[in-house]
Amino acid sequence: MKQILFKNTNISYSDTGKGTAIVLLHGFLENKGMWDFYIPEFAKKNRVITIDLLGHGETECLSYVQTMEDNADAIHSVLSELRIRKAIFVGHSMGGYVALAFAELYPDTIKGLVLLNSTARADSKERKTNRDRAIKAVKQSFMNFVSLSIANLFSESNRERLSSEIESVKKEALKTPLQGIVASLEGMKIRQDREVLLHLTPYPKLLILGEKDPVLNYEETKEQIENTTVKLVTFPDGHMSHIENQDQLLIVLLAFFKSI
């Protein structure tokens, strides 16, 4: 584990392997440990950077609202420290929102982009209301909120089959401080719509979705890439493709990296 200081806040990251840089960004209530299965394979031919986003894992909280742009600037600090000028970005869920913010702020740094169970669209009115409800719920009962949130990310048919994996994810999620959770919910709620990036940017892009994702509507999310060069990969399960479809996802990502 390595750290740098960004705006008086410790940012935790890992740096493994050599070659084209790949930056792996975790989602809400996750941390860089979500990529542990993938790093050894990716690092055979690439330099793999994982970063704990603000208020998650071993990275400290920055403020009471942590925007996607704040996270993007923190990532830029890490890459500057490592002297990485170009990288392929893979963002899971909230990590995808951060990757898109980064792509808007630092377009010359992006070599390729993968949105994993993520969307380029801003929150709808209903989603914003749900974020506010979530903030209230986590303040009232931290443990309940985290447990329910994690279970609801998996497709119903996988909840029993993957019960031990779900418990592991919950255990990690419970390490996320209350301030980190609230600040991230506030940040996701006000994030900008970046669908235009899917249409106008020149680098290779891949959207990976779960058909039974309880969080993202599959058909609506898929609409974003109509009339674009973005490739689509669909898995038959939920929001946690890195667990629910682990081996298939590994193959898909390795093929994407090789194609760039």
Side-chain angles (χ1 to χ4, degrees), residues 153-257:
L153 297 174
F154 292 79
S155 68
E156 274 186 53
S157 55
N158 278 334
R159 287 174 199 169
E160 201 173 319
R161 180 176 74 86
L162 296 171
S163 57
S164 65
E165 286 86 347
I166 291 170
E167 278 310 309
S168 295
V169 177
K170 278 183 194 173
K171 206 173 163 186
E172 286 303 308
L174 286 165
K175 295 176 186 174
T176 317
L178 177 63
Q179 188 191 333
I181 293 174
V182 172
S184 297
L185 286 165
E186 294 283 11
M188 287 189 283
K189 187 176 76 177
I190 59 168
R191 77 181 189 281
Q192 293 173 35
D193 191 299
R194 293 193 164 93
E195 198 174 332
V196 68
L197 294 179
L198 301 181
H199 291 260
L200 300 180
T201 49
Y203 41 79
K205 293 172 287 292
L206 175 64
L207 177 64
I208 302 172
L209 299 176
E211 216 166 354
K212 294 179 194 149
D213 191 326
V215 181
L216 290 176
N217 180 288
Y218 173 72
E219 292 300 333
E220 278 177 26
T221 311
K222 202 173 66 161
E223 276 171 18
Q224 299 169 70
I225 61 165
E226 281 173 15
N227 306 315
T228 72
T229 58
V230 181
K231 289 196 172 107
L232 173 68
V233 170
T234 301
F235 290 128
D237 298 294
H239 193 69
M240 304 293 270
S241 296
H242 61 289
I243 297 172
E244 294 175 275
N245 310 100
Q246 194 178 67
D247 295 333
Q248 301 98 308
L249 179 63
L250 178 65
I251 292 163
V252 166
L253 290 175
L254 285 172
F256 181 75
F257 301 154

Side-chain angles (χ1 to χ4, degrees), residues 97-109:
Y97 311 155
V98 173
L100 286 161
F102 188 97
E104 189 173 271
L105 291 168
Y106 307 102
D108 296 340
T109 313

Side-chain angles (χ1 to χ4, degrees), residues 29 142-153 159 170:
L29 294 177
F142 180 85
M143 210 140 176
N144 253 2
F145 170 81
V146 170
S147 292
L148 280 172
S149 296
I150 297 304
N152 288 340
L153 297 174
R159 287 174 199 169
K170 278 183 194 173

Side-chain angles (χ1 to χ4, degrees), residues 107-126:
D108 296 340
T109 313
I110 306 278
K111 193 169 181 164
L113 175 65
V114 180
L115 296 180
L116 174 60
N117 313 116
S118 194
T119 175
R121 289 179 175 167
D123 271 359
S124 63
K125 215 171 176 179
E126 186 190 353

Side-chain angles (χ1 to χ4, degrees), residues 4-13 23 25 51-54 59 62-63 65-82 84 89 95 97-107 109-110 192 194:
I4 65 153
L5 207 58
F6 165 76
K7 294 186 178 177
N8 293 322
T9 303
N10 275 317
I11 309 294
S12 178
Y13 68 93
V23 177
L25 302 176
I51 302 169
D52 280 335
L53 298 175
L54 296 169
T59 288
L62 179 71
S63 60
V65 177
Q66 285 164 179
T67 65
M68 303 306 103
E69 293 82 2
D70 290 333
N71 277 292
D73 289 339
I75 290 160
H76 188 253
S77 289
V78 172
L79 298 189
S80 298
E81 172 80 10
L82 299 176
I84 291 170
F89 280 71
Y97 311 155
V98 173
L100 286 161
F102 188 97
E104 189 173 271
L105 291 168
Y106 307 102
T109 313
I110 306 278
Q192 293 173 35
R194 293 193 164 93

